[in-house]
């Protein structure tokens, strides 16, 4: 579903961010992206949601190629993806349910469908009782749950999580990670960038390890050499 | 559309001070332009009044047959540059002189002043060259003794008009340009204040057109409000001038409406440019 083929990314001022990266994330898979800061984890996510384009090589997401995709095709692709960040990126003057509804409103969902879908997404992340709270009234973990609900409300194929637990304490981290596992169990692929190695070590999930923009380890390749092509 | 309108109104509600600043900045930019417009309009009117007085006067030789003069008046009236021709008889010339010039107050003897053909030019034909041409054609009649049209005065007036027009256009363009820059910057601030929201909209898959629409509505409304406020301010300036300085002419209703619509258009264009630039960058 997500396929990187010999992808390199060069920033004009920052030098190479990714070099000759090839991997494949299957439908419904859960994978960690690990590596030190600056290793290229966020760049990979940006290439998937087309905030960046590769300098060379090809990124294919749900059949769409970074080489041929026009600018006008990007919004449609993003509706098939959910993205969450370390800093939550919620609108502070809107309630939890308004933040979630926002993702549906701006993509032209008929208004009659919005409330039930928002309700379902908030229930899925365990925040139905705090639907009318403003982000400032919620804990960090709860804010991240709202962000996840917003990412889920469009029923994405994959949830891209860029250090989603980076700002959370251990208990909230466990809660968010369990939520991502639950989401994955229901069929949504999850690609989670993290440098929390404890989190990674305690699971047997696929791990893609980066260093200086290169893929230095892929647990799927270690288990099954056919997974990395 | 309803969502876009709601988002635009929400922006006013959420950042009232910034919105107020935008509206007042637009209003004062347009007010400066409006004040300039008032000055330009009244200057043009004043020049127009002087221009209306441009006339060519041909003095008729004593003893000319009235039929010949009437025929000449008829001929001159069909010149394309000529707006109005009239014959001033000797008696009428004296009456007018007695009315206007004190030294003629005690003069009653008819024939002391010659009869004349007075030609007024159509608007747009009052330049020295055209006036001179008409004067020559009038001079060609053999019963015309002398032709006067205040050549130097017409030339000075025309020069003044040309300078006033050029300065008017240059100043007008400068004012409009400065207003556009200020309005554009103000709207740019509003766009930057909402960059987080724009980023989220893009992330969840909103199209650029969809993102743009609330900003366009917001810019249009700010421009409209700024335009109305500028109109009120110029009206106050007009009233103050009328009461304490001098009587001036105010804009025609259609011009006033066009001014407000121009403000709205500036707001709309300013927003379109600012949002477009922002969307291209992020």
């Amino acid at each position: 579903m997500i396929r990187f083929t010999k992808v390199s990314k060069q920033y004009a001022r920052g030098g190479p961010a990714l070099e000759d990266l090839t991997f494949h994330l299957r439908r419904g898979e859960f994978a960690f992206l690990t590596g030190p800061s600056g290793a290229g984890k966020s760049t990979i996510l940006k290439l998937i949601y087309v905030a960046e384009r590769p300098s060379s090589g090809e990124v294919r997401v749900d059949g769409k190629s970074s080489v041929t995709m026009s600018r006008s095709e990007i919004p449609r692709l993003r509706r098939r993806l959910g993205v969450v960040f370390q800093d939550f990126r919620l609108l502070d003057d809107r309630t939890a349910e308004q933040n979630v509804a926002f993702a549906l409103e701006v993509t032209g969902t008929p208004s009659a469908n919005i409330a039930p879908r928002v309700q379902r997404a908030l229930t899925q992340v365990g925040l139905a009782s705090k639907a009318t709270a403003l982000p400032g009234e919620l804990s960090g973990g709860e804010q991240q749950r709202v962000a996840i609900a917003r990412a889920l409300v469009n029923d994405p194929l994959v949830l891209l999580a860029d250090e989603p637990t980076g700002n959370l304490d251990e208990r909230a981290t466990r809660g968010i990670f369990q939520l991502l596992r639950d989401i994955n169990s229901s069929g949504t692929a999850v690609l989670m960038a993290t440098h929390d190695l404890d989190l990674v070590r305690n699971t047997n999930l696929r791990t893609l390890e980066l260093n200086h923009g290169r893929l230095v380890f892929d647990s799927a390749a270690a288990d099954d050499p056919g997974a990395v092509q | 559309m309803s969502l876009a309108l709601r988002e635009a109104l929400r922006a006013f509600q959420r950042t009232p001070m910034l919105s107020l600043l935008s509206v007042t900045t637009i209003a004062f930019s347009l007010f400066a332009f409006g004040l300039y417009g008032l000055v330009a309009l009244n200057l043009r009117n004043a020049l127009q009044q002087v221009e209306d007085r441009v006339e060519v006067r041909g003095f008729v030789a004593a003893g000319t047959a009235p039929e010949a003069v009437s025929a000449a008046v008829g001929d001159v009236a069909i010149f394309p540059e000529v707006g109005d021709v009239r014959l001033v008889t000797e008696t009428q010339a004296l009456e007018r002189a007695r009315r206007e010039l004190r030294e003629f107050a005690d003069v009653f003897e008819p024939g002391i002043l010659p009869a004349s053909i007075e030609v007024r030019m159509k608007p747009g034909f009052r330049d020295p060259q055209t006036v001179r041409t008409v004067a020559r054609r009038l001079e060609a009649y053999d019963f015309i003794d002398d032709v006067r049209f205040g050549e130097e005065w017409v030339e000075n007036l025309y020069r003044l008009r040309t300078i006033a027009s050029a300065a008017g256009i240059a100043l007008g363009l400068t004012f409009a340009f400065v207003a556009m820059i200020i309005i554009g910057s103000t709207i740019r601030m509003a766009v930057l204040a909402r960059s987080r929201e724009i980023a989220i909209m893009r992330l969840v898959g909103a199209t650029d057109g969809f993102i743009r629409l609330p900003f366009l509505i917001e810019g249009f409304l700010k421009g409209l409000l700024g335009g109305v406020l500028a109109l009120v301010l110029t009206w106050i300036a007009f009233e103050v001038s009328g009461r304490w300085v001098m009587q001036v002419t105010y804009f025609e209703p259609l011009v006033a409406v066009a001014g407000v619509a121009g403000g709205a258009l500036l707001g709309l264009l300013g927003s379109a440019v600012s949002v477009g630039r922002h969307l291209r960058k992020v």
Side-chain angles (χ1 to χ4, degrees), chain B residues 26 179-191 212 215-220 222-223 262-278:
Chain B
I26 292 172
M180 271 173 69
I181 297 276
I182 293 173
I183 292 168
S185 313
T186 309
I187 291 168
R188 180 119 185 83
M189 273 197 317
V191 170
R212 230 177 245 131
F215 286 99
L216 296 186
I217 295 173
E218 189 186 332
F220 177 82
K222 282 177 178 170
L265 191 70
L266 272 181
L268 188 76
L269 290 178
S271 278
V273 171
S274 298
V275 180
R277 207 178 279 169
H278 185 78

Side-chain angles (χ1 to χ4, degrees), chain B residues 54-58 75-85 117-122 125-141 144 147-149:
Chain B
V54 170
E55 67 176 20
V56 180
R57 200 175 283 188
D75 285 351
V76 173
I78 56 172
F79 290 176
E81 308 90 338
V82 170
D84 179 46
V85 189
I117 295 173
E118 290 182 2
V119 180
R120 288 190 182 232
M121 314 295 287
K122 276 183 189 161
F125 293 100
R126 289 162 182 163
D127 58 289
Q129 186 60 42
T130 313
V131 174
R132 202 174 292 124
T133 308
V134 170
R136 297 242 167 84
R137 285 157 88 175
L138 198 58
E139 219 167 15
Y141 290 98
I144 295 290
V147 173
R148 290 193 191 162
F149 61 92

Side-chain angles (χ1 to χ4, degrees), chain B residues 48 70 80 129 134 158 181 190 241:
Chain B
Q48 187 67 46
S70 298
Q129 186 60 42
V134 170
Y158 192 73
I181 297 276
S241 164

Side-chain angles (χ1 to χ4, degrees), chain A residues 71 79 89 93-94 105, chain B residues 6-7 14 200 202 205:
Chain A
R71 199 178 155 86
R79 292 175 200 182
R89 300 198 188 174
D93 63 331
R94 294 173 206 234
E105 287 169 340
Chain B
R6 204 179 71 206
E7 288 296 321
R14 215 173 37 188
I200 293 171
R202 293 196 110 172

Side-chain angles (χ1 to χ4, degrees), chain A residues 49 71 75-76 78-79 83 85 87 89-91 93-94 98 102-103 105-107 150 154, chain B residues 3 6-7 10 14 194 196-197 199-208 210 279-280 282:
Chain A
Y49 64 85
R71 199 178 155 86
R76 201 156 288 282
R78 286 185 183 158
R79 292 175 200 182
V83 193
F85 297 93
D87 60 354
R89 300 198 188 174
L90 298 174
L91 296 169
D93 63 331
R94 294 173 206 234
Q98 285 171 340
F102 190 64
E105 287 169 340
V106 302
T107 49
R150 184 181 62 196
N154 268 318
Chain B
L3 175 69
R6 204 179 71 206
E7 288 296 321
R10 190 193 268 266
R14 215 173 37 188
R194 291 173 62 195
R196 185 180 174 83
E197 196 176 322
I200 293 171
M201 285 169 111
R202 293 196 110 172
L203 199 64
V204 298
T207 59
D208 283 356
F210 189 93
L279 287 178
R280 273 195 300 277
V282 294

